[in-house]
Amino acid sequence: MAAIELRGLTKVYPGGVKALDSLDLTIPDGEFFALLGPSGCGKTTLLRTIAGLETATGGAVVIGGRDVTRVQPGGRDVAMVFQDYALFPHMDVTDNIAYPLRIKKVAKGERRAKAEEVAARLGLEKLMDRRPGQLSGGQQQRVALARVMATQAQAFLFDEPLSNLDARLRLEARTFLKKLQRELGVTTVFVTHDQAEALAMADRMAIMEAGLIRQIGTPSEVFQRPANTFVAGFIGSTPMNLLDAVARGDTLEVAGCKVPVPASAEGLVVDGEKLVYGVRPEYMTYQAGTVEGGLSGSVVILENLGASHLVTLDVGGVTVQGVVAEGEEPALGEQGAVVPRSDRALVYRDGELVAA
Amino acid sequence: MTRFVAGRIGFYTLVALLLAFFTIPLLWLASAPFTSNPTYEVRVPDFTWENFQIILDHPYALGSLVNSLILAIGTAVLVVVMSALAAYALSRVRLPGRDALLYALLLLSSIITGTAAMVPLFQLAIELGLIDSHTGLILIMTGGLLPAAIFMIKDFMDTTPKSYEESARVFGASPLQIVRHVVVPVVRPGLATIAVWTIANVWGNFLMPYLLLSDVEKQPAAVIMYTLYTEGGQANLKVLSTFGLLYSVPVVLMYLFVSKKYGFRFHGGIKR
Ligand SMILES: Nc1ncnc2c1ncn2[C@@H]1O[C@H](COP(=O)(O)OP(=O)(O)OP(=O)(O)O)[C@@H](O)[C@H]1O
Ligand SMILES: [Mg+2]
């Protein structure tokens, strides 16, 4: 087990694409860390650079206190699960799981025993003689996990290990993976482009954009207080309302309505300045009619989210969304208002969070 | 309706004729060796082993088959090993002008073992003392077949996911271990194809051994076949058909064996 530390890590691909731009990141020992970001932001590149499959253009990778920037992948004592699992198609499950031990020259009997032990832990005992081609996606994923477990590496690197599974299996695998990581206590870096997955599984997470880390924090920090409008827009299954606002004393003028300056930004806004007011639909309450301190308009769309509904209001030409509990949804066309929770609303200046 | 029937009849007649065109020589090859006095006709054989006895008594016939085997297997081993290594490198390393190099090689290969290079090759072999030796012949035929083999096997390697090798690399495997444990097994059907293709090529090659081997004892079956044909100025159908049969059987057996063992198929990993 070991901490992973990245210092000013930069990766420029031949051809000039700057995939990582001077990243600094410390992942403590035993942490389950998620790397989240849109396609092409450099997540895979970062993971591969930690693994040593890509050489860093600048900066350093330190694993367990040892600078491994110039060390070959095999010497870094990390194990990686690839997005396609990369199980060897010509080996059966036993040989696949035992392969890392074969490289370490462990005797045949011993490595079979070890493979069986790990496989039993993941419920693979009955599949030991099968080839990867004869396994379902979920089973292949577990074999890939078993294989990295057999390595007893200092850190695990997972590149979107759940993206090949169907929706239901993905939920199961998510819980399973999180439990397994808890039990093993191995430092794990997990790449995903699914924000819900990152929120659900990670101890801490980093949100990346174009080779830069835009925010690092626990899932609740990132969800409740996105550090900038990029993170605010990226996190959350329903996008955050990001509305143009102008400061007027201790109120903000948003879409023709007046809302109080949120608690987080109290005393930090200058009268008359242009800001962005951000509040999650989940942190809004809906009331019929016009409400003081709320955003009033007419209901234009209702979307069923299962246990709740997403209500879209047209507030003076601006679209605002709120969530209402089932059974309380308004009728289409009704006049109503969404009232933000003052302790959850946020203000952004030039895209960055305004906070003490 | 009648037009349709007439069309069908015409079609099947044509197919039957075409089939006959190709099967009759094969039938002849199967029956003539067991016939006492074979002619160019296909006849029901009288099942004599006399023709085989003649071949057995022939001073060079059996030896030539052994020579063919040595040449074919020697070349196949060299071609498979060298093309696998070269194709792996070419497939995985990014080199400027890599594709141009490959096409140039392919172009050159058709010249090397072709008629155009006969004289220079002959002189080169003499200079190097490789004339009249199996080693020299194997080297030259390997050179001729390598580019096409590299080309074919590189195609196989290009289509196998890089993540297999990267995965092995992260586990600490050395490049040679990766080739042995991962790449070769994954492209094994491709290697089998190359081996079969090489053996068939060498087995049927007449020109090169005819040119480079003067010692009858060293000559392969393809050349001996030719000498059988001209013996006494007229084709001896007894010997020729029997030797022809013996000459074809190994290649057919090899195809059956390889196709059964490897099936010329690829067993993929994940469903994509
Ligand atoms: N081998 C390469 N050569 C050149 N550019 C590359 C290479 N690999 C990736 N890139 C570029 O680097 C950037 C980051 O790519 P990366 O694969 O890390 O993205 P990602 O965040 O993993 O995206 P995704 O979610 O789609 O997997 C992209 O702009 C990509 O085009
Ligand atoms: Mg990726």
Side-chain angles (χ1 to χ4, degrees), chain A residues 13-14 17 19 38-45 160 193:
Chain A
Y13 279 112
V17 180
S39 192
C41 71
K43 307 178 295 289
T44 299
T45 307
E160 310 208 18
H193 58 251

